[in-house]
Amino acid sequence: MAVWLTTILLASLITVSVVLLLLKVRTPRYRVERAKAKTLLYDIVNGRASEEDWQIFISIPIYNDEQLEAIRQRCLQLDETEFTGYSVTSSFFLTTLAIKEIRQILETLEGDIVFRG
């Protein structure tokens, strides 16, 4: 009887612990910081960005910064209309028109100073 009661108590304790752990752990979120977005856009303008980094940036919504989300959505539109993919002759995977617009977006981010605290 004591073994049965100990088994039930131990199983209950483990079950409650797992449930509490699962309630405490949140779903991971992709967080883009302004500095990383600037670096990516700078690399795109200079032909050093990877297509994979670009696809990650445009594919996942940004919840922590409304302006970066608007930029991501604009970049998504550029990807849909101006994406050329890598070629042997060029290190750019977007058209010159898209690169020019990304340069303008980068300039607006460069002038942006945000204090969070």
Side-chain angles (χ1 to χ4, degrees):
M1 180 80 163
V3 174
W4 184 78
L5 186 58
T6 305
T7 304
I8 295 295
L9 285 172
L10 187 58
S12 298
L13 181 65
I14 291 172
T15 303
V16 168
S17 299
V18 168
V19 169
L20 289 175
L21 179 68
L22 291 174
L23 288 174
K24 188 171 184 169
V25 175
R26 299 210 180 250
T27 306
R29 292 216 173 156
Y30 174 67
R31 288 186 56 95
V32 176
E33 301 300 328
R34 285 177 178 263
K36 289 184 179 183
K38 286 179 188 179
T39 300
L40 174 64
L41 296 176
Y42 181 80
D43 288 346
I44 290 169
V45 166
N46 292 301
R48 293 191 310 242
S50 72
E51 188 177 332
E52 291 81 16
D53 288 340
W54 171 251
Q55 292 300 327
I56 290 170
F57 177 71
I58 64 171
S59 299
I60 303 174
I62 301 170
Y63 297 105
N64 60 308
D65 190 320
E66 291 178 17
Q67 184 184 18
L68 283 182
E69 174 59 14
I71 289 170
R72 184 197 70 82
Q73 289 178 6
R74 180 60 190 133
C75 288
L76 181 59
Q77 292 170 349
L78 288 173
D79 184 73
E80 291 172 357
T81 59
E82 306 294 328
F83 183 78
T84 59
Y86 276 116
S87 69
V88 177
T89 59
S90 175
S91 60
F92 296 98
F93 49 85
L94 296 168
T95 64
T96 55
L97 179 67
I99 298 297
K100 184 177 178 182
E101 185 159 345
I102 289 174
R103 185 175 288 120
Q104 291 173 347
I105 292 170
L106 184 59
E107 288 172 4
T108 62
L109 275 176
E110 289 294 331
D112 223 12
I113 299 175
V114 176
F115 294 100
R116 297 182 192 261

